[in-house]
Amino acid sequence: YPAIPEVLHKFNSAFPRVRIQLVSSFTNRLKQLHHRGECDIILTTEDQLDGEGEVLSTVPLVWIGAPGGEAWRARPLRLAFEFGCIFRQPVQRALDAAGIPWQMAVESESSRTVEASVSADLAVHAALEGTAFIYGRPIDHGGALPELGNKKICLYRAPKSSGVLTDNLVELLREGYRTF
């Protein structure tokens, strides 16, 4: 979110007989699938472009909490992350560098568990700006939490995936992330 639903809608409108299989997973897993030739196009969230690909957008990583929540004020700071989340370790390093004690309050294989815990103000999370779940909000911490920097949204395309369909989908992705 927020670009992918509109991209898929436009592609489906232009090519209604084409079936797209959307695989949603963590960057590391998507890169494995891509490397094995199991995905024609992948989008990743990374600090740096890795190999052949292109950066579609650079987006700030922000702290996410419950609307009106107070969990971000607690010390140790209670964190909620999925096991495979690529943001988890950089967030922990930023807290360590800032001297802010933290504890992993919620570890899960499910983003829904993280969302429910953060929405209930039991912990905080980090997400790309503009992608917070419905009951999560960027935390206006006034400098009480460290800045988390930017992440790049990268597109990787399999060398064998060329042609009208793939070219159109890639262009729609570029368009979608230009305005992100």
Side-chain angles (χ1 to χ4, degrees):
Y1 287 101
I4 295 299
E6 183 66 21
V7 166
L8 292 176
H9 177 74
K10 286 179 179 179
F11 187 83
N12 187 59
S13 294
F15 303 100
R17 295 175 53 115
V18 174
R19 189 187 109 208
I20 290 183
Q21 181 178 356
L22 179 64
V23 176
S24 177
S25 190
F26 297 108
T27 290
N28 292 333
R29 180 159 191 300
L30 291 174
K31 288 177 100 173
Q32 290 171 357
L33 293 172
H34 182 69
H35 180 72
R36 292 193 309 249
E38 295 177 36
C39 291
D40 293 323
I41 299 168
I42 62 169
L43 296 176
T44 64
T45 307
E46 304 177 75
D47 289 324
Q48 297 296 324
L49 187 65
D50 179 22
E52 300 287 324
E54 67 182 277
V55 176
L56 297 181
S57 187
T58 301
V59 183
L61 186 64
V62 296
W63 293 101
I64 302 295
E70 297 291 321
W72 65 273
R73 296 178 188 275
R75 298 296 182 268
L77 182 65
R78 296 173 51 83
L79 301 176
F81 280 93
E82 299 94 336
F83 290 111
C85 181
I86 203 164
F87 302 149
R88 180 178 168 159
Q89 289 181 353
V91 163
Q92 292 168 341
R93 283 193 301 268
L95 290 167
D96 288 343
I100 297 174
W102 57 270
Q103 69 183 69
M104 192 56 60
V106 177
E107 295 180 281
S108 178
E109 291 182 11
S110 167
S111 60
R112 293 293 189 191
T113 303
V114 170
E115 291 173 13
S117 300
V118 172
S119 298
D121 202 29
L122 301 178
V124 299
H125 185 64
L128 296 176
E129 186 176 75
T131 65
F133 42 89
I134 193 165
Y135 297 110
R137 299 286 182 277
I139 298 170
D140 183 12
H141 55 80
L145 296 174
E147 294 300 317
L148 298 174
N150 296 319
K151 298 295 179 185
K152 293 175 176 26
I153 298 174
C154 303
L155 180 144
Y156 296 90
R157 180 177 180 174
K160 67 177 171 88
S161 66
S162 61
V164 173
L165 296 174
T166 307
D167 292 347
N168 272 276
L169 182 55
V170 166
E171 190 51 41
L172 287 170
L173 288 164
R174 287 178 182 139
E175 273 178 42
Y177 282 96
R178 256 185 237 124
T179 59
F180 179 63

